[in-house]
Amino acid sequence: MPVTVLRHDLVVESTTWVTARALAKGAATPLEPASVLLADALGGRLAAPLTALVAVPGVDVSAMDGYAVAGAGPWRVVGRVLAGGACYGEELRPGEAVEIATGAPTPAGASAVLPYEQAAVDGVRVNGAAELGRHIRRRGEDIAEGAVVLGAGAVVTPVALGLAAALGHDDLLVRPRPRVAVLITGDEVVHEGLPAPGRVRDAIGPFLPGLVAWAGGRVASTDVLPDGREALRVALDAGAADVVVVCGASSKGPADHLRAVLDDLGADVIVDGVAVRPGHPQLLARLAGGALVVGLPGNPFAALGAALTLLAPILRELAGIPVRTETSALAEAVRTNPRDTRLVPVRRSGRGAVPVGHDRPGSLWGAALADALAVVPPGWAGEQVELIELPPGG
C-alpha cells in the first residue's frame, strides 16, 4: 500500500482509526530472510520449508534391547552391537543372533529383534518367539529423506529447533524478528517502589516486551530518558533498531518534545493523532535512516490502545505474520462517540463480547480483565464490531 506522508509543519485533522492501521501496515516492509544458527533462530518464522536432510532413522535400527536374529531359533550369538558403536560387519545367516541395544543399527540379514524379556539364554545360544519384522525400525520409517516437515511461515519453537537439529540442520532461513528500541520518557515516572505525590509508576514499560513478542518482534533495548529534547534526539539518532517506541512524549504539552525532535531529524510524519479513544495522541514517523518511530501517549490504557493501533500491525508486517480478523456482536450497548472510534475492553462469551468496564485512559484494570478490545466505530448502531485480541499470558 502506498504510504501517505504528512509533513510535520502541516496542520491536519486526526487520522481515522481504520486509516491509521492501514498506514501503519503500509509503512512496513517484511524484513529480508536471513540464514542464522539454530541458537539464533528461536522465535523467528521459517522463510522456506523445513526439509529432512537425513532420513529418520538413518538406517534400520533396533527398537528394543535384546537380540537381532536371522531365521528361526534357536540362534547362536555371534556378536554385540551398541548404540553409537560400530555396525556388525557381516550379514547374519539363519540361526545367528547379535546382542543389540536400542537405537543400534541392525545387521543385514536380521529378520527381527527378540527383546531380553522374551529371550531364554543358554551360554552362547538364545531362544524365544521372535515375530518376523518385529522391533526393527526401518530407515525413513519416521521421516523420509527430503520430506517437508514444516512449511514456510511456521514459528521456530524450541521443539522445532530440536526437529531441525535431528534432521541435520545447523542453521535455518528465517524472517528475523524485528528489533524494537523502547524509550521511556517523563521526569514524573518512577520504575520501582511506591511513587511519591506527583509521581507515577511506569505501567507501559512492563507490558511492552510481552506485547512486542506477541506481535512478532523483540525488545532489543530499553532506555529511560529525562524530559528534554537533547536526550530524546540522541536516542532517536542512534539508529540501532527497526522500530523505536517512544512512551509518553506524543502529546502536545510543554514536556512533549517528540514532534520537535522528529522535525530536527528530518523525519517524515505518517500519522499525527488518531481519532480514537483512548489513545488519540499517538504518532508514526519514519527517520531518515529508515527506522519507524511509534509515539505512545503516557496514560497506560491509551498507550495500549495506540500500541495495538500502530505498533502491532507494523511488527506483524515486518515479521511476515498473517493477520486474522475477528468480529463479534456486543452483548451490551456501549457509549459511542460521534467522531472517534472507541476501544472497549471485552470478554468473549456465548452471547457476544461483554464489556468489562474500568476503561479510563489512565488505568489498565479493564484491559487486564478482558481478552480483547472491541473496536466500536463512530455512531455505532448495534452492528458487529471487530475484536482485537489482547496478548495472552505465557
Side-chain angles (χ1 to χ4, degrees):
M1 164 184 293
V3 175
T4 302
V5 175
L6 308 176
R7 292 303 308 172
H8 190 71
D9 53 357
L10 293 179
V11 176
V12 296
E13 293 185 358
S14 295
T15 306
T16 66
W17 185 85
V18 172
T19 300
R21 293 264 289 184
L23 288 171
K25 182 177 184 293
T29 302
L31 298 176
E32 287 297 318
S35 183
V36 300
L37 296 175
L38 291 185
D40 299 323
L42 183 64
R45 286 183 176 261
L46 292 176
L50 180 65
T51 59
L53 302 181
V54 295
V56 179
V59 296
D60 293 354
V61 297
S62 174
M64 298 288 288
D65 293 329
Y67 298 90
V69 299
W75 303 274
R76 183 170 60 90
V77 179
V78 296
R80 172 184 288 181
V81 182
L82 301 177
C87 299
Y88 184 70
E90 301 178 21
E91 182 175 347
L92 283 186
R93 293 177 296 180
E96 292 183 336
V98 167
E99 190 175 7
I100 197 165
T102 301
T106 55
S111 56
V113 170
L114 178 68
Y116 283 137
E117 298 84 352
Q118 300 171 15
V121 180
D122 181 12
V124 296
R125 292 196 173 274
V126 62
N127 203 356
E131 182 181 341
L132 182 64
R134 183 72 168 159
H135 302 309
I136 296 178
R137 295 173 56 214
R138 300 299 179 184
R139 180 182 187 274
E141 181 178 307
D142 294 339
I143 302 174
E145 184 176 348
V148 174
V149 295
L150 293 175
V155 178
V156 182
T157 64
V159 175
L161 284 179
L163 175 63
L167 298 180
H169 291 270
D170 297 317
D171 47 48
L172 292 174
L173 187 67
V174 299
R175 292 197 179 278
R177 291 186 295 165
R179 300 161 300 156
V180 177
V182 177
L183 306 178
I184 300 173
T185 71
D187 290 340
E188 78 283 8
V189 177
V190 298
H191 302 275
E192 60 183 8
L194 300 178
R199 311 292 292 277
V200 295
R201 273 293 296 268
D202 171 30
I204 303 173
F207 78 62
L208 272 178
L211 185 146
V212 166
W214 164 76
R218 62 182 180 89
V219 172
S221 63
T222 300
D223 291 299
V224 176
L225 305 180
D227 283 330
R229 289 176 62 164
E230 184 57 22
L232 184 56
R233 187 195 67 77
V234 170
L236 285 175
D237 204 27
D242 301 300
V243 182
V244 182
V245 180
V246 182
C247 307
S250 64
S251 192
K252 298 184 179 179
D256 297 309
H257 303 289
L258 180 56
R259 286 168 179 79
V261 170
L262 290 172
D263 194 51
D264 290 344
L265 295 174
D268 288 327
V269 177
I270 301 167
V271 174
D272 190 354
V274 178
V276 65
R277 297 183 183 277
H280 164 72
Q282 54 185 286
L283 184 146
L284 172 61
R286 187 186 303 279
L287 296 173
L292 292 168
V293 178
V294 176
L296 304 181
N299 278 323
F301 183 36
L304 175 63
L308 293 172
T309 299
L310 296 179
L311 179 60
I314 288 170
L315 295 178
R316 289 194 177 107
E317 190 68 15
L318 289 172
I321 300 174
V323 178
R324 179 178 63 88
T325 301
E326 178 185 1
T327 60
S328 172
L330 284 177
E332 300 172 9
V334 298
R335 178 172 49 85
T336 63
N337 188 287
R339 295 177 304 276
D340 296 343
T341 297
R342 284 197 65 212
L343 300 180
V344 178
V346 296
R347 288 199 67 84
R348 300 176 180 90
S349 78
R351 59 192 182 94
V354 180
V356 299
H358 309 294
D359 58 357
R360 292 183 179 275
S363 171
L364 290 171
W365 187 4
L369 294 171
D371 55 26
L373 297 184
V375 181
V376 181
W380 174 72
E383 65 273 18
Q384 289 210 336
V385 297
E386 182 180 349
L387 297 186
I388 304 175
E389 182 185 9
L390 288 169

